[in-house]
Each structure stands twice: as structure tokens, then as C-alpha cells.
């Protein structure tokens, strides 16, 4: 009887072993995939799993709060709990397995609403946004204030690269940052040189981060081939810097 492939608690995924090299040609849309790679880099498709990776890292490293550097086309700042206050106690009380169940439900923590719950839980208390979305906003100020947190908006790569963080922090990247398409599944994505002009200046932030999360975001980062190309271009650099 063939041996069953190893399972990662955050999702089934298409990468069988957490520390095998990524076969970029085999990457496909998989909303349940979240895989730890060497260098404390986590790769996922649906960005909502980032909160579980962050929580798992925080527990393993025995940390309290962390800062977050969020590089993404979108703010991902929606707060589903604002209209569901009765569900907040369960969020705050959830251990890691319970948090995974909440995320798996894809209802209150989604691909565009995973940062606010991290702030509510006290996991993240400082957010640095580098986002291109012009029809949204960062986190609601009342949420940030109630959590004793802070948020900063950086208008350019250079301004974010100049930030000095002297606390434990997470570096979070979505590959859709490099796509201008307004429709799902459409390209083109940026030329390689323009992608690297963003990634390379952020190398010091990547190197010093406690953990790195990367979202493939199939359908939002161009065509499927575009997404695979971006992953093959960017991910090996991030891992090498770790």
C-alpha cells in the first residue's frame, strides 16, 4: 500500500514536503494550501491563511505582539467581525486549531479580511501598508485605537524600505501587487525588471523579518501562467535572503 503524502495542518496543498524545492510549474489554484518552506517562509494561495501562519510562528517563538509589513495591491482591511460582535469572543479565545477552523470556514476571516482579526487578537499591533488599491482604505481607526495598535501608510517602495523596525515583525507579500488587471484571471503582470525594482529594495526588511508569508493569489495576479511566473521570479529570492 502506498504511503500517504504528509499533511500540513494548515491545508492539503500541492507541495508534498514543507522543505522540498517548490515546483513552480505544478502550482495551481488551491484555496486550502498553506505550506511552510525553508527560512520560515510560508507559501499560500488564499491570503486568509496568513493569520494562522503568523499565530503558529508567534507561539513557536514565544512572542507576544508583532509588527506587520503588508505589501499587496489590496489593503485587505475589511473587518467582518464589526457586524458580527457576538463572534468576537470565540475569535479571541481560539487556540491555533480553533483558529484554523475559523479560517477554513471562509466566512469571518477571508482573503481580504485577515488583518483585522489579527489586530483584534493582539497578534499584530503595528501595520506598515504598501498598497496600490485606490478604492479602499486601511483599517478602521476605531479598531486600531481600541486594540492599542498603530498603522502607517507608505506611498512608495523607497519610503517603506527606509523604515527601521526594532521589534519582531512579519513580512507579508501578495503577488497581485505586480498586476494591473482589473478583471480576475487577466494579465499582463509587470515586466520582470519592474517586479525586481520593488522586491530588491525591500531585501533588508525580508532578511530581518521573523517570518515571511507569500500569497500566490491565483486569479488576482494575472493568468495562471502569470502567477506561476511571478512565484518563480520572486520566491527564490526571498528564500535566499532568509
Amino acid at each position: 500500500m502506498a504511503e500517504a503524502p504528509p499533511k500540513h495542518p494548515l491545508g492539503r496543498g500541492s507541495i508534498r514536503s514543507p522543505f522540498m524545492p517548490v515546483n513552480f510549474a505544478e502550482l495551481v489554484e488551491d484555496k486550502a494550501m498553506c505550506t511552510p518552506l525553508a527560512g520560515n517562509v510560508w507559501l499560500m494561495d488564499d491570503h486568509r491563511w496568513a493569520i494562522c501562519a503568523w499565530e503558529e510562528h508567534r507561539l513557536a517563538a514565544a512572542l507576544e505582539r508583532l509588527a506587520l509589513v503588508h505589501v499587496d495591491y489590496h489593503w485587505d482591511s475589511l473587518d467582518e467581525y464589526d457586524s458580527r460582535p457576538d463572534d468576537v469572543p470565540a475569535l479571541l479565545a481560539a487556540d491555533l486549531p480553533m483558529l484554523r477552523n475559523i479560517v477554513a470556514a471562509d466566512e469571518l476571516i477571508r482573503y481580504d479580511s485577515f488583518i483585522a482579526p489579527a489586530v483584534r487578537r493582539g497578534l499584530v499591533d503595528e501595520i506598515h501598508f504598501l498598497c496600490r488599491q485606490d478604492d479602499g482604505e486601511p483599517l478602521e481607526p476605531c479598531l486600531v485605537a481600541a486594540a492599542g495598535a498603530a498603522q502607517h501608510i507608505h506611498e512608495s517602495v523607497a519610503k517603506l524600505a527606509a523604515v527601521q523596525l526594532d521589534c519582531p515583525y512579519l513580512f507579508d507579500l501578495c503577488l497581485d501587487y505586480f498586476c494591473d488587471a482589473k478583471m480576475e484571471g487577466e494579465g499582463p503582470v509587470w515586466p520582470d525588471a519592474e517586479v525586481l525594482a520593488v522586491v530588491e529594495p525591500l531585501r533588508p526588511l525580508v532578511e530581518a523579518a521573523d517570518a515571511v508569508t507569500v500569497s500566490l493569489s491565483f486569479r488576482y495576479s494575472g493568468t495562471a501562467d502569470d502567477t506561476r511566473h511571478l512565484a518563480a521570479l520572486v520566491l527564490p529570492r526571498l528564500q535566499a535572503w532568509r
Side-chain angles (χ1 to χ4, degrees):
M1 183 176 179
E3 183 180 355
K7 296 180 179 179
H8 186 266
L10 295 187
R12 62 187 185 275
S14 56
I15 301 173
R16 291 172 56 98
S17 170
F19 299 113
M20 288 178 62
V22 178
N23 186 334
F24 297 103
E26 293 184 355
L27 290 175
V28 294
E29 183 177 356
D30 183 350
K31 298 305 182 184
M33 185 267 277
C34 182
T35 303
L37 307 174
N40 211 7
V41 176
W42 298 74
L43 180 66
M44 64 204 69
D45 180 18
D46 192 308
H47 215 159
R48 74 185 191 272
W49 291 106
I51 189 175
C52 290
W54 301 342
E55 188 66 71
E56 185 163 333
H57 170 73
R58 177 171 72 161
L59 293 173
L63 297 169
E64 294 186 5
R65 290 183 168 193
L66 298 103
L68 171 65
V69 176
H70 179 67
V71 181
D72 193 314
Y73 184 96
H74 302 93
W75 298 103
D76 294 340
S77 57
L78 296 183
D79 181 13
E80 304 290 354
Y81 285 92
D82 185 53
S83 60
R84 298 271 294 269
D86 290 346
D87 291 299
V88 172
L91 170 70
L92 301 183
D95 59 13
L96 186 56
M98 293 171 63
L99 181 63
R100 290 176 186 136
N101 289 338
I102 294 172
V103 173
D106 196 15
E107 181 181 359
L108 290 170
I109 300 179
R110 307 190 66 193
Y111 66 95
D112 55 1
S113 59
F114 59 93
I115 298 176
V119 172
R120 286 185 176 274
R121 281 175 62 87
L123 166 56
V124 169
D125 67 350
E126 180 180 347
I127 308 100
H128 293 265
F129 287 102
L130 177 63
C131 302
R132 302 175 51 230
Q133 185 179 7
D134 57 9
D135 59 349
E137 298 177 338
L139 296 169
E140 286 290 339
C142 57
L143 168 64
V144 175
Q151 61 180 343
H152 311 276
I153 301 171
H154 301 278
E155 297 175 351
S156 68
V157 173
K159 289 183 177 180
L160 176 60
V163 169
Q164 299 292 322
L165 290 170
D166 58 1
C167 59
Y169 68 91
L170 307 154
F171 186 93
D172 179 58
L173 172 67
C174 182
L175 295 184
D176 71 4
Y177 187 91
F178 309 110
C179 182
D180 292 324
K182 297 297 184 182
M183 301 296 292
E184 292 185 13
E186 290 188 359
V189 295
W190 292 3
D192 289 2
E194 293 182 17
V195 173
L196 297 181
V198 171
V199 174
E200 294 283 352
L202 299 178
R203 175 173 179 170
L205 285 172
V206 173
E207 289 178 333
D210 274 50
V212 172
T213 46
V214 179
S215 172
L216 296 166
S217 293
F218 274 95
R219 293 191 297 147
Y220 292 93
S221 47
T223 66
D225 284 340
D226 287 333
T227 304
R228 286 186 279 267
H229 176 78
L230 286 171
L233 177 67
V234 173
L235 191 61
R237 285 173 167 80
L238 301 186
Q239 288 187 275
W241 297 340
R242 303 288 297 163

